[in-house]
Coordinates of all heavy atoms in Angstrom, one line a residue:
V221 N 1.1 4.9 -16.0 CA 0.6 4.3 -14.8 C 0.5 2.7 -15.1 O -0.1 2.4 -16.1 CB -0.7 4.8 -14.4 CG1 -1.2 4.2 -13.1 CG2 -0.7 6.3 -14.2
Q222 N 1.1 1.9 -14.3 CA 0.9 0.5 -14.4 C 0.0 0.0 -13.3 O 0.3 0.2 -12.1 CB 2.3 -0.2 -14.3 CG 2.4 -1.6 -14.6 CD 2.4 -2.5 -13.3 OE1 2.7 -1.9 -12.2 NE2 2.0 -3.7 -13.3
G223 N -1.1 -0.6 -13.8 CA -2.2 -1.0 -12.8 C -3.3 0.1 -12.9 O -3.0 1.3 -12.8
F224 N -4.6 -0.4 -13.0 CA -5.7 0.6 -13.1 C -6.7 0.2 -12.1 O -7.9 0.3 -12.4 CB -6.1 0.6 -14.6 CG -6.9 1.9 -14.9 CD1 -6.1 3.1 -14.9 CD2 -8.2 1.9 -15.4 CE1 -6.8 4.3 -15.2 CE2 -8.8 3.1 -15.7 CZ -8.1 4.4 -15.6
G225 N -6.3 -0.3 -11.0 CA -7.3 -0.6 -9.9 C -7.6 0.7 -9.2 O -7.5 1.8 -9.8
N226 N -7.9 0.5 -7.8 CA -8.2 1.8 -7.1 C -7.1 2.8 -7.1 O -7.3 4.0 -7.4 CB -8.6 1.4 -5.6 CG -8.8 2.6 -4.7 OD1 -7.8 3.2 -4.4 ND2 -10.0 2.9 -4.5
V227 N -5.8 2.3 -6.9 CA -4.7 3.3 -6.7 C -4.4 3.9 -8.1 O -4.2 5.1 -8.3 CB -3.5 2.5 -6.1 CG1 -2.3 3.5 -6.0 CG2 -3.8 2.0 -4.8
G228 N -4.2 3.0 -9.1 CA -3.8 3.5 -10.5 C -4.8 4.4 -11.1 O -4.4 5.5 -11.6
S229 N -6.1 4.0 -11.0 CA -7.1 4.8 -11.7 C -7.3 6.2 -11.0 O -7.4 7.3 -11.6 CB -8.4 4.1 -11.8 OG -9.0 3.9 -10.4
N230 N -7.3 6.2 -9.7 CA -7.4 7.5 -9.0 C -6.2 8.4 -9.1 O -6.3 9.6 -9.2 CB -7.8 7.3 -7.5 CG -9.3 6.9 -7.4 OD1 -10.1 7.8 -7.8 ND2 -9.5 5.8 -6.8
S231 N -5.0 7.7 -9.2 CA -3.7 8.6 -9.4 C -3.8 9.2 -10.8 O -3.6 10.4 -10.9 CB -2.5 7.7 -9.4 OG -2.4 7.0 -8.2
A232 N -4.2 8.4 -11.8 CA -4.2 8.9 -13.2 C -5.3 10.0 -13.3 O -5.0 11.1 -13.8 CB -4.6 7.7 -14.1
K233 N -6.5 9.8 -12.6 CA -7.5 10.8 -12.7 C -7.1 12.2 -12.1 O -7.3 13.2 -12.7 CB -8.7 10.2 -12.0 CG -10.0 11.1 -12.2 CD -11.2 10.2 -11.8 CE -12.3 11.1 -11.4 NZ -12.4 11.5 -10.0
I242 N -1.3 11.9 -19.0 CA -1.2 10.5 -18.8 C -1.0 9.9 -20.2 O -2.0 9.7 -20.9 CB -2.5 10.0 -18.1 CG1 -2.9 10.9 -16.9 CG2 -2.3 8.5 -17.7 CD1 -1.9 11.1 -15.8
G244 N 0.4 6.7 -20.9 CA 0.3 5.3 -20.9 C -0.4 4.7 -19.7 O -0.2 5.2 -18.6
I245 N -1.1 3.6 -20.0 CA -1.7 2.9 -18.8 C -1.6 1.4 -19.2 O -2.0 1.0 -20.3 CB -3.2 3.3 -18.6 CG1 -3.3 4.8 -18.2 CG2 -3.9 2.3 -17.6 CD1 -4.6 5.3 -17.9
A246 N -1.0 0.6 -18.3 CA -0.9 -0.7 -18.4 C -1.7 -1.5 -17.5 O -1.7 -1.2 -16.2 CB 0.7 -1.2 -18.3
E247 N -2.4 -2.5 -17.9 CA -3.2 -3.4 -17.0 C -2.8 -4.8 -17.2 O -2.0 -5.1 -18.2 CB -4.7 -3.2 -17.3 CG -5.4 -2.4 -16.3 CD -5.7 -3.0 -14.9 OE1 -4.7 -3.4 -14.3 OE2 -6.9 -3.1 -14.6
Y248 N -3.2 -5.7 -16.4 CA -2.8 -7.1 -16.5 C -3.3 -7.7 -17.9 O -2.6 -8.7 -18.3 CB -3.4 -8.0 -15.4 CG -4.9 -8.1 -15.4 CD1 -5.5 -9.2 -15.9 CD2 -5.7 -7.1 -14.9 CE1 -6.9 -9.3 -16.0 CE2 -7.1 -7.2 -15.0 CZ -7.7 -8.3 -15.5 OH -9.1 -8.4 -15.6
D249 N -4.2 -7.1 -18.5 CA -4.7 -7.8 -19.8 C -4.4 -6.9 -21.1 O -4.9 -7.2 -22.1 CB -6.2 -8.1 -19.8 CG -7.1 -6.9 -19.4 OD1 -6.5 -5.9 -19.0 OD2 -8.3 -7.1 -19.5
G250 N -3.5 -5.8 -20.9 CA -3.2 -5.0 -22.1 C -2.8 -3.6 -21.7 O -3.0 -3.2 -20.6
L252 N -2.4 0.7 -23.0 CA -2.9 1.8 -23.9 C -1.8 3.0 -24.0 O -1.1 3.2 -23.0 CB -4.1 2.4 -23.3 CG -5.3 1.5 -23.1 CD1 -6.4 2.2 -22.4 CD2 -5.8 1.1 -24.6
I258 N -4.2 10.6 -22.3 CA -5.4 9.7 -22.4 C -6.5 10.4 -21.5 O -6.2 11.0 -20.4 CB -5.1 8.3 -21.7 CG1 -4.1 7.6 -22.6 CG2 -6.3 7.5 -21.4 CD1 -3.5 6.3 -22.0
D259 N -7.7 10.5 -22.0 CA -8.9 11.0 -21.3 C -9.2 10.0 -20.2 O -10.0 9.1 -20.5 CB -10.0 11.3 -22.3 CG -11.2 11.9 -21.7 OD1 -11.4 11.8 -20.4 OD2 -12.1 12.4 -22.4
V260 N -8.8 10.2 -19.0 CA -8.9 9.3 -17.9 C -10.4 9.0 -17.6 O -10.8 7.9 -17.5 CB -8.0 9.6 -16.7 CG1 -8.2 8.4 -15.6 CG2 -6.6 9.6 -17.1
P261 N -11.3 10.0 -17.3 CA -12.7 9.8 -17.0 C -13.3 8.9 -18.1 O -14.1 8.1 -17.8 CB -13.3 11.2 -16.8 CG -12.1 12.1 -16.5 CD -10.9 11.5 -17.2
A262 N -13.0 9.3 -19.4 CA -13.6 8.5 -20.4 C -13.2 7.0 -20.4 O -13.9 6.0 -20.7 CB -13.2 9.1 -21.8
L263 N -11.9 6.8 -20.1 CA -11.4 5.4 -19.9 C -12.0 4.7 -18.7 O -12.4 3.5 -18.9 CB -9.9 5.4 -19.7 CG -9.2 4.1 -19.5 CD1 -9.5 3.1 -20.7 CD2 -7.8 4.2 -19.3
I264 N -12.2 5.4 -17.7 CA -13.0 4.8 -16.5 C -14.4 4.4 -16.9 O -14.8 3.3 -16.6 CB -13.0 5.7 -15.3 CG1 -11.5 5.9 -14.8 CG2 -13.9 5.2 -14.2 CD1 -11.3 6.9 -13.7
E265 N -15.1 5.2 -17.7 CA -16.4 5.0 -18.2 C -16.4 3.8 -19.1 O -17.2 2.9 -19.0 CB -16.8 6.3 -18.9 CG -18.1 6.2 -19.7 CD -19.3 5.9 -18.8 OE1 -19.3 6.3 -17.6 OE2 -20.2 5.3 -19.3
H266 N -15.4 3.7 -20.0 CA -15.2 2.6 -21.0 C -15.1 1.3 -20.1 O -15.7 0.3 -20.4 CB -14.1 2.8 -21.8 CG -13.6 1.6 -22.6 ND1 -14.1 1.1 -23.8 CD2 -12.7 0.6 -22.2 CE1 -13.5 0.0 -24.1 NE2 -12.6 -0.4 -23.2
R267 N -14.2 1.3 -19.1 CA -13.9 0.1 -18.4 C -15.2 -0.4 -17.6 O -15.4 -1.6 -17.4 CB -12.8 0.3 -17.4 CG -11.9 -0.9 -17.2 CD -12.1 -1.5 -15.8 NE -12.0 -0.5 -14.7 CZ -10.9 -0.4 -14.0 NH1 -9.8 -1.1 -14.2 NH2 -10.8 0.5 -13.0
S268 N -16.0 0.6 -17.2 CA -17.2 0.3 -16.3 C -18.2 -0.6 -17.1 O -18.9 -1.4 -16.6 CB -17.8 1.5 -15.7 OG -18.5 2.2 -16.8
T272 N -12.9 -4.0 -19.1 CA -11.4 -4.0 -19.3 C -11.0 -2.6 -19.9 O -11.9 -2.0 -20.6 CB -11.0 -5.2 -20.3 OG1 -9.7 -5.0 -20.8 CG2 -11.9 -5.2 -21.5
I273 N -9.8 -2.3 -19.9 CA -9.3 -1.0 -20.6 C -9.1 -1.3 -22.0 O -9.1 -0.4 -22.8 CB -8.1 -0.4 -19.8 CG1 -6.9 -1.3 -20.0 CG2 -8.4 0.0 -18.4 CD1 -5.5 -0.5 -19.7
I296 N 4.5 5.3 -12.6 CA 3.8 4.9 -11.4 C 3.4 3.5 -11.4 O 2.3 3.1 -12.0 CB 2.5 5.8 -11.2 CG1 2.9 7.3 -11.3 CG2 1.9 5.5 -9.8 CD1 1.8 8.3 -11.0
P297 N 4.2 2.5 -10.8 CA 3.7 1.2 -10.6 C 2.7 1.2 -9.6 O 3.0 1.5 -8.5 CB 5.0 0.3 -10.3 CG 6.0 1.4 -9.9 CD 5.5 2.7 -10.2
A298 N 1.4 0.8 -9.9 CA 0.4 0.8 -8.9 C -0.4 -0.4 -8.9 O -1.6 -0.5 -8.7 CB -0.5 2.0 -9.3
A299 N 0.4 -1.6 -9.0 CA -0.4 -2.9 -9.0 C 0.1 -3.7 -7.9 O -0.5 -3.9 -6.8 CB -0.4 -3.6 -10.3

Side-chain angles (χ1 to χ4, degrees):
V221 182
Q222 183 260 341
F224 205 61
N226 174 285
V227 179
S229 64
N230 281 302
S231 306
K233 185 165 162 271
I242 313 299
I245 292 179
E247 257 287 61
Y248 65 98
D249 57 351
L252 298 172
I258 294 170
D259 179 343
V260 181
L263 176 60
I264 293 174
E265 174 60 29
H266 163 88
R267 210 252 311 259
S268 71
T272 169
I273 65 164
I296 307 180

